[in-house]
Amino acid sequence: MNSTLEQVQAIACDIFGIPSARITADSSPETVETWDSIHHLNLVLAIEEKFQVQLSPEEIQEMKSVGAVAVLVESKLQSSAR
Amino acid sequence: MALHIQPYRAEHEPAVADFNRRIRAAGEDENLVFYQSATPRWLPPASSSRIHNEFFLAIANDGVHGGYALKTQDFLLPDGQIRSIGYYHHPLSEGIVDKAHAAIGMLLLRDAITRSPLLYCLGMGGYERPLPQMLIRLGWSHFAVPFFFRVLRPAKFLRQMQTLRHSAARRLALDLAAFTGAGWLGTKLFQSYRALTSPRVKRSEALEVQIFSQETQSLWVDARSNCSLTAVRDHQTLRLLYPGSESHLSRIEVRRDGRLIGWAVVGERRHDAKYGNLRVGSVVDNWAFPGESLSIVQHATQVLERQGFDLILTNQGHQGWGRAFLASGYLPGPSNFLFAASRKLSELLEPFDHVKLRMHLTRADGDGLPRNF
């Protein structure tokens, strides 16, 4: 099974419309041209749907890079598994 | 950087000024700024009022990064209940100039939904803009509120209407139509045809008033069942929205045999480059006893004609009012005046495609009052 980071990268590729080779854990709004407010919303909704989690406003603010999103999702999944 | 969304207070005004400077410095439209004063000039909160406007800011340790306005007003809903509903307007996020703040637009909207789950947006400038795209993605119900216009001075309209004159060939054709009189003839023929084929209405009298009379209260009660959704337009609300001090608005009461059958509010629209130097009038708001809308539209149109406007515009959600404007020689046009209802509000507006036909929505329900409608 793909790691959380790989799954988040796949979602990001789809949302931002760029090849997977160009999405890394460091990819952020500063480095991805199409990462604007609408695509940020799309990313949040896609993450919530894919991982069946609900993101709080504080957590949405933490989504500053693809790697940060993966860490956030991991932590949400772990806390819900407990 | 922890970001908190909280009510805008006077102590935040310097930080808002800094925020506005950053937005301006990034080359955005100079009109695209957040409110400089923490206290709304329009409908400030008052304990005695059921309709008020509030501002909220997205604040981090290093300053303000966004804000929005929330108007709260009573609406009549399809179930016959009157509920307080929020209107989300003037959202502004630093994300438009700095993508490090890309999340703020969504956070502002989520905050507004939390504060006012029954929430709507109106206007927004068309489906291609970021806010409506966001609302659609969030599953809001939506439609474009129909737009109507009536040309009063055809030659000037053809020469000044910048949105029609986007190519050299178009400009030539429009100038020809203007200078030969063909545009005038076509417009007058169409309006005469509409006048001849529209339903006859009994004679009525219009009077411009300084403040709306007490009879508007019973008119509100008698006519409201004709609407699936409408902001409360009772006497108290009308006096608040259209006070006598707003001298740029004309308040018109229409009577037959002394009895009030409807009212309208008309005024001049703020200058907009797309209309060139046309004087543009607007039917801002209107209300009538069922079956009397045509009389109201005719009187409102006559008032604007007498005031010397070149073009009249209006947006009307209710299909009955739309028909009255068409019967009065107005033409339909593409609308960028969008209505969108939050998911909670949409649950009360089911079936939406049916309910939307009788929603009484006008420019007065947007953020345009008191002067920008």
Side-chain angles (χ1 to χ4, degrees):
Chain A
M1 196 170 75
N2 289 344
S3 70
T4 305
L5 177 60
E6 286 169 331
Q7 292 180 70
V8 171
Q9 282 177 315
I11 291 170
C13 289
D14 187 35
I15 298 284
F16 301 129
I18 53 178
S20 56
R22 289 180 51 201
I23 287 282
T24 68
D26 291 331
S27 296
S28 69
E30 283 79 17
T31 62
V32 178
E33 196 178 338
T34 51
W35 192 331
D36 59 12
S37 58
I38 299 299
H39 288 92
H40 193 87
L41 167 67
N42 289 340
L43 179 65
V44 170
L45 296 177
I47 293 290
E48 287 183 336
E49 189 178 331
K50 168 79 178 175
F51 296 102
Q52 293 295 298
V53 293
Q54 189 73 40
L55 299 171
S56 70
E58 292 75 21
E59 290 165 339
I60 291 169
Q61 288 175 61
E62 290 173 24
M63 296 171 58
K64 291 185 182 300
S65 68
V66 168
V69 175
V71 169
L72 175 66
V73 170
E74 281 282 1
S75 124
K76 296 283 287 184
L77 294 176
Q78 281 173 11
S79 61
S80 64
R82 274 189 223 123
Chain B
M1 180 181 65
L3 189 96
H4 299 283
I5 299 177
Q6 54 186 272
Y8 183 178
R9 297 190 299 272
E11 70 239 39
H12 300 132
E13 287 173 359
V16 169
D18 286 342
F19 166 69
N20 288 335
R21 266 193 291 277
R22 291 196 301 277
I23 299 281
R24 280 206 190 99
E28 284 296 323
D29 179 351
E30 66 175 35
N31 294 316
L32 203 57
V33 291
F34 201 66
Y35 300 93
Q36 192 55 61
S37 170
T39 305
R41 277 190 294 180
W42 182 50
L43 304 172
S47 58
S48 59
S49 176
R50 296 277 299 161
I51 170 170
H52 59 269
N53 206 19
E54 296 170 279
F55 302 149
F56 297 89
L57 297 175
I59 303 175
N61 295 337
D62 60 346
V64 167
H65 295 290
Y68 70 90
L70 183 66
K71 182 177 78 166
T72 304
Q73 186 173 8
D74 282 346
F75 273 72
L76 175 74
L77 284 124
D79 62 4
Q81 300 292 310
I82 289 178
R83 290 184 173 87
S84 184
I85 288 181
Y87 166 45
Y88 179 75
H89 65 106
H90 283 102
L92 185 59
S93 156
E94 197 155 358
I96 62 170
V97 298
D98 179 355
K99 291 203 296 175
H101 300 290
I104 291 178
M106 180 185 186
L107 294 172
L108 293 173
L109 181 59
R110 282 202 170 188
D111 185 77
I113 293 171
T114 305
R115 290 179 196 275
S116 179
L118 300 179
L119 192 68
Y120 77 96
C121 291
L122 190 63
M124 299 183 278
Y127 278 112
E128 70 284 3
R129 304 293 288 270
L131 179 58
Q133 286 184 28
M134 196 179 281
L135 302 180
I136 290 167
R137 188 67 184 83
L138 288 169
W140 287 37
S141 304
H142 58 90
F143 74 105
V145 180
F147 168 72
F148 304 93
F149 67 99
R150 180 182 164 101
V151 179
L152 299 180
R153 291 190 170 73
K156 192 173 175 186
F157 173 80
L158 294 169
R159 282 182 282 121
Q160 292 294 328
M161 192 66 194
Q162 301 306 309
T163 48
L164 298 177
R165 301 171 64 86
H166 48 70
S167 70
R170 276 283 196 104
R171 287 192 290 275
L172 180 64
L174 293 170
D175 286 344
L176 270 174
F179 290 117
T180 60
W184 180 89
L185 184 64
T187 305
K188 293 302 171 190
L189 279 173
F190 167 75
Q191 289 174 352
S192 301
Y193 169 75
R194 275 288 161 81
L196 285 170
T197 56
S198 69
R200 299 294 97 191
V201 292
K202 291 183 192 165
R203 186 177 165 73
S204 56
E205 294 82 39
L207 183 66
E208 289 183 48
V209 296
Q210 187 70 15
I211 50 171
F212 278 118
S213 68
Q214 184 66 42
E215 288 167 85
T216 54
Q217 180 64 30
S218 53
L219 187 65
W220 155 248
V221 173
D222 291 343
R224 64 189 184 185
S225 62
N226 196 34
C227 304
S228 58
L229 174 80
T230 176
V232 168
R233 284 167 160 86
D234 61 7
H235 178 243
Q236 188 186 6
T237 305
L238 296 187
R239 291 186 70 151
L240 194 63
L241 291 178
Y242 311 115
S245 56
E246 295 291 355
S247 56
H248 62 291
L249 294 173
S250 298
R251 290 152 289 266
I252 305 159
E253 289 191 348
V254 179
R255 294 174 184 277
R256 180 176 302 118
D257 302 326
R259 177 184 174 232
L260 185 70
I261 59 169
W263 55 259
V265 177
V266 302
E268 181 165 10
R269 277 188 73 155
R270 200 168 65 165
H271 177 73
D272 184 335
K274 68 178 177 245
Y275 300 117
N277 66 7
L278 291 172
R279 281 196 69 212
V280 181
S282 174
V283 180
V284 181
D285 202 3
N286 35 264
W287 189 255
F289 199 75
E292 299 288 8
S293 52
L294 187 53
S295 295
I296 312 308
V297 174
Q298 290 176 350
H299 283 297
T301 304
Q302 287 163 12
V303 168
L304 288 166
E305 279 185 294
R306 282 201 299 272
Q307 293 179 355
F309 290 102
D310 304 313
L311 175 68
I312 307 175
L313 311 178
T314 192
N315 284 89
Q316 300 289 331
H318 196 294
Q319 62 177 6
W321 281 97
R323 282 196 286 262
F325 277 90
L326 290 173
S328 302
Y330 286 71
L331 288 165
S335 174
N336 60 9
F337 194 70
L338 313 179
F339 171 80
S342 68
R343 289 164 79 155
K344 280 284 180 202
L345 178 56
S346 296
E347 287 171 11
L348 303 174
L349 302 177
E350 288 296 332
F352 189 79
D353 283 341
H354 176 69
V355 166
K356 74 181 185 186
L357 301 174
R358 293 195 309 121
M359 288 185 188
H360 188 72
L361 296 168
T362 68
R363 304 292 295 199
D365 298 306
D367 56 15
L369 291 175
R371 286 182 179 274
N372 179 27
F373 40 77

